[in-house]
Amino acid sequence: MECQTSKDSTYVMGIDIGTTSAKVVLFTRSGHVASEAEAPYPTSSPKPDYSEQDPLLIEEAIVHSVSEVMKKSRIKPDQLLSIGFSAAMHSLICVDDSNRPLSPMITWADRRSIKQVNHYLKEDRSELEKNGTPLHPMSPLFKLLWMKEHAYTPYLNATKFVSIKEFFISRWFNRFVVDYGVASATGLFNVHTLDWNETALNIAGITRDQLSTPVSPTYVCQGLTEEFAQQLGIHRDTPFAVGSSDGPLANIGVGAIKEGDLTLTIGTSGAIRKISSSPARTLKQIFCYSISERHWVLGGPTNNGGNVLQWAIETLSPSNSDTSLTRFENALSLAQTSPPGANSLLFLPYLHGERAPLWRADARGAWLGISSTHTKADFLRSCIEGIVFNLYQISAIVENVTGENKRIYVNGGFARSRFWLQLVADVFGKNLEIPLTHQSAAWGAAWFSLMAIGEEDNLENIANHIPMGDTIYFNQEKHSLYKDLISLFVEAQASQEEIAAKLSAYQIKTP
């Protein structure tokens, strides 16, 4: 429902550059959604393990969505106080001295640098661990190393190496800056000193002048080019805060800032995150990224979230005339008819390799315990349970490092499903706090923009401006059942690991 505003109303906007689409959300000062728009863009895989996107198509999606929100909301440009940026992590683009893209944008899901990662897994990692980014092909450090070793032409000709957010900021404002959060996700940044790590730069074969200047999330960019101001439908002097990456902003956007607050996200992929007042001293299977000079986020990402369920729906159900949304809803309804534990059917959800907790790009999925009595409902439910079991594993690792997980906040597309929420509560044995809006990363970005212009004076106050919905209460009996199944899940995961790696290698060799 779009708003009709009075002349003295003021608003704030968040731009969230996601893996599959750009989302633009206009908020009231109290955090309610006034208007929103979303535009998708494609991902291509020209070779196995490649994951690429066209940065100019992403820019078109953002411009269209901002313009659409301004039109639908009917607000005047004078009523827009500020805009904040959120972006998916680990993206990489090679650009020339005119900031034209020489390469596609390589996404976090790209796995072409597996060989380079495996080499460094055998080396002394103490210096690289200061970066807070686990050694994995998602990291731009290893993407750059792959480019270096393969004499990748865009790499050889590049003036700068940037993320998708930096790409737009440089094109719109003619400056190269990167927030601490996005910089942390490169594997090139020391999260303790908040500066580039020379050891990592040397490995990548680049210099610091080929990277942007690291800045606080409240750093302000103003002075849009006339061309982009007209396309966006806003004033040229509208202040933009550089914001942060989508993970920590999702925590901030639901108010999960206090000690013991855990955020669980399931969208295309998934993540477990906790905000801390200090960086982790050691890393064991989790990341530690900077947000600001006094905030860090610790947690673990999974490659396998809603994309796994989408695969299951498409694989188990023949195509029909139903919309994607209808098929998704029907699949969830069918999964509910299977009991907890899916009639003793266990699913390892590693269809896209895995980051946390395995950090193995060659991980593969598996069903265990299949019998002739299992139904489509069992297979669908086991997929959902496998996704959640994996996230539970990550949360246990985070808890060992950060202390007790006291409260769980949720966000992402899965939060629209009551069934999925209840399943998460029962697996984790914790009640879930549900915000009214699912656009938490955009609200976190918008809040930083309000801080940047002096409208808000601290990060913690956002908790007073988040409209909350229901609390989902867990069922103790089901939680006890799931604890036993999680033990089997971990055991199955370990037993399948080497076989999955061999099958992955075989798949690559097979013509």
Side-chain angles (χ1 to χ4, degrees):
M1 180 177 176
E2 309 300 339
C3 66
Q4 296 188 12
T5 66
S6 61
K7 291 183 179 179
D8 60 348
S9 298
T10 55
Y11 297 84
V12 62
M13 184 181 290
I15 297 175
D16 184 13
I17 309 164
T19 301
T20 57
S21 66
K23 306 175 207 55
V24 175
V25 189
L26 186 72
F27 298 94
T28 66
R29 286 289 282 103
S30 59
H32 290 274
V33 173
S35 183
E36 58 187 304
E38 183 173 1
Y41 29 80
T43 300
S44 64
S45 299
K47 294 182 180 180
D49 290 328
Y50 282 37
S51 178
E52 300 177 343
Q53 294 177 332
D54 183 339
L56 295 176
L57 285 181
I58 298 176
E59 183 178 66
E60 287 179 13
I62 294 171
V63 169
H64 170 79
S65 297
V66 172
S67 174
E68 189 72 11
V69 162
M70 293 300 292
K71 290 175 183 176
K72 290 195 299 184
S73 67
R74 302 182 190 178
I75 73 165
K76 296 180 179 178
D78 289 340
Q79 295 173 270
L80 183 60
L81 291 172
S82 57
I83 299 174
F85 276 117
S86 166
M89 293 180 276
H90 314 297
S91 59
L92 181 65
I93 310 166
C94 304
V95 299
D96 65 14
D97 54 7
S98 298
N99 199 27
R100 291 182 298 237
L102 298 174
S103 71
M105 186 193 86
I106 302 177
T107 81
W108 63 267
D110 193 278
R111 299 183 292 180
R112 72 185 71 180
S113 61
I114 291 175
K115 179 180 176 182
Q116 288 70 29
V117 172
N118 288 340
H119 171 77
Y120 273 91
L121 285 173
K122 302 171 186 175
E123 302 291 317
D124 178 11
R125 292 179 268 168
S126 56
E127 188 63 29
L128 292 182
E129 285 186 347
K130 295 176 182 177
N131 299 336
T133 306
L135 276 61
H136 188 270
M138 70 180 182
S139 170
L141 164 61
F142 292 105
K143 293 177 171 70
L144 288 165
L145 181 57
W146 178 92
M147 293 178 181
K148 174 185 171 183
E149 293 182 356
H150 286 78
Y152 185 57
T153 301
Y155 168 89
L156 298 175
N157 296 332
T159 302
K160 294 274 190 183
F161 301 99
V162 298
S163 71
I164 191 65
K165 191 203 295 187
E166 295 165 73
F167 179 70
F168 300 132
I169 289 174
S170 58
R171 282 170 58 81
W172 296 3
F173 301 100
N174 195 31
R175 66 183 79 182
F176 284 93
V177 292
V178 58
D179 67 88
Y180 297 143
V182 167
S184 294
T186 62
L188 303 164
F189 189 75
N190 188 320
V191 297
H192 301 271
T193 63
L194 301 183
D195 194 11
W196 299 115
N197 183 326
E198 291 294 341
T199 299
L201 299 186
N202 290 336
I203 291 171
I206 64 173
T207 59
R208 63 172 55 230
D209 63 359
Q210 290 180 289
L211 299 173
S212 301
T213 302
V215 296
S216 162
T218 54
Y219 181 92
V220 173
C221 296
Q222 275 182 292
L224 273 170
T225 65
E226 186 63 42
E227 175 189 0
F228 281 112
Q230 289 183 3
Q231 291 179 27
L232 295 168
I234 62 177
H235 287 317
R236 285 192 63 193
D237 61 353
T238 302
F240 285 70
V242 298
S244 189
S245 54
D246 55 359
L249 287 174
N251 271 53
I252 292 164
V254 295
I257 301 173
K258 297 178 183 176
E259 182 180 350
D261 288 353
L262 183 83
T263 298
L264 183 152
T265 300
I266 305 177
T268 303
S269 54
I272 294 287
R273 293 179 300 270
K274 245 180 177 176
I275 289 180
S276 172
S277 59
S278 61
R281 293 185 178 180
T282 59
L283 290 173
K284 292 188 182 297
Q285 300 173 288
I286 61 172
F287 59 68
C288 175
Y289 300 143
S290 306
I291 304 174
S292 69
E293 292 83 353
R294 63 188 189 91
H295 294 97
W296 286 259
V297 63
L298 288 77
T302 170
N303 291 356
N304 300 285
N307 51 6
V308 172
L309 181 57
Q310 187 62 45
W311 166 84
I313 294 169
E314 292 173 356
T315 303
L316 296 172
S317 301
S319 299
N320 53 40
S321 59
D322 290 342
T323 65
S324 295
L325 180 59
T326 301
R327 292 184 72 190
F328 191 80
E329 291 173 343
N330 289 343
L332 288 174
S333 296
L334 182 59
Q336 290 181 64
T337 65
S338 175
N343 285 312
S344 301
L345 183 62
L346 195 63
F347 181 65
L348 302 180
Y350 309 120
L351 303 188
H352 306 281
E354 190 51 288
R355 290 180 286 174
L358 304 181
W359 297 105
R360 295 195 61 151
D362 58 2
R364 290 294 180 266
W367 264 295
L368 298 170
I370 301 175
S371 76
S372 61
T373 62
H374 284 120
T375 65
K376 186 188 295 186
D378 297 327
F379 281 97
L380 288 170
R381 184 175 187 115
S382 69
C383 281
I384 299 169
E385 290 179 342
I387 295 165
V388 178
F389 290 168
N390 194 55
L391 285 163
Y392 180 86
Q393 260 194 291
I394 301 170
S395 75
I397 297 167
V398 172
E399 189 169 52
N400 286 337
V401 176
T402 63
E404 182 187 356
N405 300 327
K406 298 176 182 177
R407 293 165 296 275
I408 298 183
Y409 295 79
V410 300
N411 53 33
F414 92 107
R416 298 183 181 95
S417 166
R418 186 81 181 198
F419 162 63
W420 204 333
L421 288 170
Q422 187 62 58
L423 194 151
V424 168
D426 294 340
V427 169
F428 278 69
K430 299 280 186 182
N431 301 333
L432 305 184
E433 306 293 334
I434 316 297
L436 283 178
T437 175
H438 304 298
Q439 307 293 10
S440 52
W443 179 227
W447 189 266
F448 268 130
S449 76
L450 291 173
M451 291 176 61
I453 63 173
E455 283 281 321
E456 295 293 341
D457 57 11
N458 69 69
L459 194 57
E460 288 72 17
N461 277 353
I462 193 173
N464 301 319
H465 298 270
I466 298 171
M468 298 300 291
D470 294 340
T471 298
I472 306 295
Y473 296 94
F474 78 95
N475 180 293
Q476 181 59 56
E477 183 179 349
K478 291 179 181 177
H479 175 60
S480 297
L481 168 67
Y482 278 130
K483 284 177 67 176
D484 293 336
L485 289 172
I486 288 169
S487 296
L488 288 174
F489 178 88
V490 174
E491 186 178 341
Q493 179 191 86
S495 68
Q496 296 287 313
E497 199 167 286
E498 291 305 319
I499 293 174
K502 291 176 182 178
L503 284 172
S504 178
Y506 179 79
Q507 184 179 29
I508 292 171
K509 293 178 183 177
T510 303

mmCIF file of all heavy atoms in Angstrom, residues 247-265:
data_model
loop_
_atom_site.group_PDB
_atom_site.id
_atom_site.type_symbol
_atom_site.label_atom_id
_atom_site.label_comp_id
_atom_site.label_asym_id
_atom_site.label_seq_id
_atom_site.Cartn_x
_atom_site.Cartn_y
_atom_site.Cartn_z
ATOM 1 N N GLY A 247 24.909 -8.045 5.309
ATOM 2 C CA GLY A 247 24.842 -8.880 6.503
ATOM 3 C C GLY A 247 24.710 -8.094 7.790
ATOM 4 O O GLY A 247 23.717 -8.212 8.510
ATOM 5 N N PRO A 248 25.714 -7.260 8.131
ATOM 6 C CA PRO A 248 25.592 -6.469 9.361
ATOM 7 C C PRO A 248 24.414 -5.517 9.347
ATOM 8 O O PRO A 248 23.789 -5.269 10.393
ATOM 9 C CB PRO A 248 26.924 -5.711 9.436
ATOM 10 C CG PRO A 248 27.557 -5.847 8.105
ATOM 11 C CD PRO A 248 27.031 -7.104 7.512
ATOM 12 N N LEU A 249 24.058 -4.982 8.183
ATOM 13 C CA LEU A 249 22.922 -4.060 8.122
ATOM 14 C C LEU A 249 21.615 -4.781 8.422
ATOM 15 O O LEU A 249 20.687 -4.185 8.982
ATOM 16 C CB LEU A 249 22.849 -3.390 6.747
ATOM 17 C CG LEU A 249 23.923 -2.331 6.494
ATOM 18 C CD1 LEU A 249 23.865 -1.838 5.065
ATOM 19 C CD2 LEU A 249 23.781 -1.162 7.471
ATOM 20 N N ALA A 250 21.526 -6.069 8.066
ATOM 21 C CA ALA A 250 20.327 -6.841 8.408
ATOM 22 C C ALA A 250 20.192 -6.971 9.914
ATOM 23 O O ALA A 250 19.079 -6.916 10.453
ATOM 24 C CB ALA A 250 20.382 -8.211 7.745
ATOM 25 N N ASN A 251 21.317 -7.169 10.625
ATOM 26 C CA ASN A 251 21.277 -7.202 12.093
ATOM 27 C C ASN A 251 20.810 -5.876 12.660
ATOM 28 O O ASN A 251 19.929 -5.811 13.525
ATOM 29 C CB ASN A 251 22.672 -7.505 12.657
ATOM 30 C CG ASN A 251 22.935 -8.982 12.799
ATOM 31 O OD1 ASN A 251 22.766 -9.729 11.853
ATOM 32 N ND2 ASN A 251 23.350 -9.403 13.978
ATOM 33 N N ILE A 252 21.427 -4.807 12.176
ATOM 34 C CA ILE A 252 21.098 -3.476 12.677
ATOM 35 C C ILE A 252 19.640 -3.141 12.382
ATOM 36 O O ILE A 252 18.938 -2.572 13.230
ATOM 37 C CB ILE A 252 22.047 -2.440 12.036
ATOM 38 C CG1 ILE A 252 23.477 -2.665 12.549
ATOM 39 C CG2 ILE A 252 21.587 -1.015 12.313
ATOM 40 C CD1 ILE A 252 24.538 -1.980 11.717
ATOM 41 N N GLY A 253 19.163 -3.536 11.213
ATOM 42 C CA GLY A 253 17.801 -3.206 10.796
ATOM 43 C C GLY A 253 16.711 -3.903 11.572
ATOM 44 O O GLY A 253 15.542 -3.505 11.498
ATOM 45 N N VAL A 254 17.053 -4.962 12.318
ATOM 46 C CA VAL A 254 16.063 -5.587 13.206
ATOM 47 C C VAL A 254 16.343 -5.263 14.670
ATOM 48 O O VAL A 254 15.672 -5.767 15.562
ATOM 49 C CB VAL A 254 15.997 -7.123 13.022
ATOM 50 C CG1 VAL A 254 15.505 -7.476 11.641
ATOM 51 C CG2 VAL A 254 17.336 -7.785 13.316
ATOM 52 N N GLY A 255 17.368 -4.425 14.907
ATOM 53 C CA GLY A 255 17.678 -4.026 16.283
ATOM 54 C C GLY A 255 18.476 -5.038 17.065
ATOM 55 O O GLY A 255 18.541 -4.974 18.296
ATOM 56 N N ALA A 256 19.101 -6.006 16.386
ATOM 57 C CA ALA A 256 19.879 -7.053 17.068
ATOM 58 C C ALA A 256 21.293 -6.545 17.325
ATOM 59 O O ALA A 256 22.252 -6.943 16.661
ATOM 60 C CB ALA A 256 19.902 -8.316 16.233
ATOM 61 N N ILE A 257 21.416 -5.678 18.320
ATOM 62 C CA ILE A 257 22.683 -4.996 18.584
ATOM 63 C C ILE A 257 23.207 -5.319 19.981
ATOM 64 O O ILE A 257 24.409 -5.257 20.249
ATOM 65 C CB ILE A 257 22.505 -3.467 18.429
ATOM 66 C CG1 ILE A 257 22.018 -3.141 17.010
ATOM 67 C CG2 ILE A 257 23.804 -2.721 18.696
ATOM 68 C CD1 ILE A 257 21.653 -1.700 16.812
ATOM 69 N N LYS A 258 22.315 -5.721 20.894
ATOM 70 C CA LYS A 258 22.729 -5.976 22.276
ATOM 71 C C LYS A 258 23.481 -7.301 22.388
ATOM 72 O O LYS A 258 23.375 -8.174 21.530
ATOM 73 C CB LYS A 258 21.498 -6.004 23.190
ATOM 74 C CG LYS A 258 20.741 -4.699 23.252
ATOM 75 C CD LYS A 258 19.511 -4.844 24.135
ATOM 76 C CE LYS A 258 18.682 -3.573 24.161
ATOM 77 N NZ LYS A 258 17.438 -3.747 24.950
ATOM 78 N N GLU A 259 24.218 -7.446 23.484
ATOM 79 C CA GLU A 259 24.931 -8.690 23.751
ATOM 80 C C GLU A 259 23.936 -9.852 23.827
ATOM 81 O O GLU A 259 22.915 -9.770 24.496
ATOM 82 C CB GLU A 259 25.691 -8.583 25.074
ATOM 83 C CG GLU A 259 26.497 -9.821 25.420
ATOM 84 C CD GLU A 259 27.240 -9.683 26.738
ATOM 85 O OE1 GLU A 259 27.275 -8.559 27.282
ATOM 86 O OE2 GLU A 259 27.761 -10.686 27.222
ATOM 87 N N GLY A 260 24.235 -10.935 23.131
ATOM 88 C CA GLY A 260 23.349 -12.099 23.124
ATOM 89 C C GLY A 260 22.325 -12.095 22.019
ATOM 90 O O GLY A 260 21.598 -13.084 21.841
ATOM 91 N N ASP A 261 22.239 -11.001 21.246
ATOM 92 C CA ASP A 261 21.292 -10.932 20.123
ATOM 93 C C ASP A 261 21.869 -11.649 18.904
ATOM 94 O O ASP A 261 22.956 -11.296 18.430
ATOM 95 C CB ASP A 261 21.005 -9.478 19.741
ATOM 96 C CG ASP A 261 20.145 -8.761 20.758
ATOM 97 O OD1 ASP A 261 19.654 -9.415 21.691
ATOM 98 O OD2 ASP A 261 19.978 -7.531 20.626
ATOM 99 N N LEU A 262 21.157 -12.624 18.404
ATOM 100 C CA LEU A 262 21.564 -13.382 17.223
ATOM 101 C C LEU A 262 20.557 -13.128 16.113
ATOM 102 O O LEU A 262 19.354 -13.108 16.352
ATOM 103 C CB LEU A 262 21.598 -14.879 17.549
ATOM 104 C CG LEU A 262 22.071 -15.820 16.431
ATOM 105 C CD1 LEU A 262 23.587 -15.879 16.411
ATOM 106 C CD2 LEU A 262 21.506 -17.222 16.634
ATOM 107 N N THR A 263 21.058 -12.937 14.898
ATOM 108 C CA THR A 263 20.172 -12.784 13.748
ATOM 109 C C THR A 263 20.342 -13.964 12.800
ATOM 110 O O THR A 263 21.464 -14.375 12.497
ATOM 111 C CB THR A 263 20.466 -11.483 12.984
ATOM 112 O OG1 THR A 263 20.220 -10.379 13.847
ATOM 113 C CG2 THR A 263 19.559 -11.349 11.775
ATOM 114 N N LEU A 264 19.224 -14.510 12.354
ATOM 115 C CA LEU A 264 19.197 -15.611 11.401
ATOM 116 C C LEU A 264 18.516 -15.122 10.132
ATOM 117 O O LEU A 264 17.398 -14.604 10.186
ATOM 118 C CB LEU A 264 18.444 -16.802 11.995
ATOM 119 C CG LEU A 264 18.376 -18.087 11.177
ATOM 120 C CD1 LEU A 264 18.244 -19.290 12.104
ATOM 121 C CD2 LEU A 264 17.184 -18.083 10.212
ATOM 122 N N THR A 265 19.212 -15.275 9.022
ATOM 123 C CA THR A 265 18.687 -14.833 7.739
ATOM 124 C C THR A 265 18.616 -16.007 6.768
ATOM 125 O O THR A 265 19.573 -16.776 6.672
ATOM 126 C CB THR A 265 19.586 -13.743 7.123
ATOM 127 O OG1 THR A 265 19.647 -12.629 8.004
ATOM 128 C CG2 THR A 265 19.050 -13.290 5.774
#
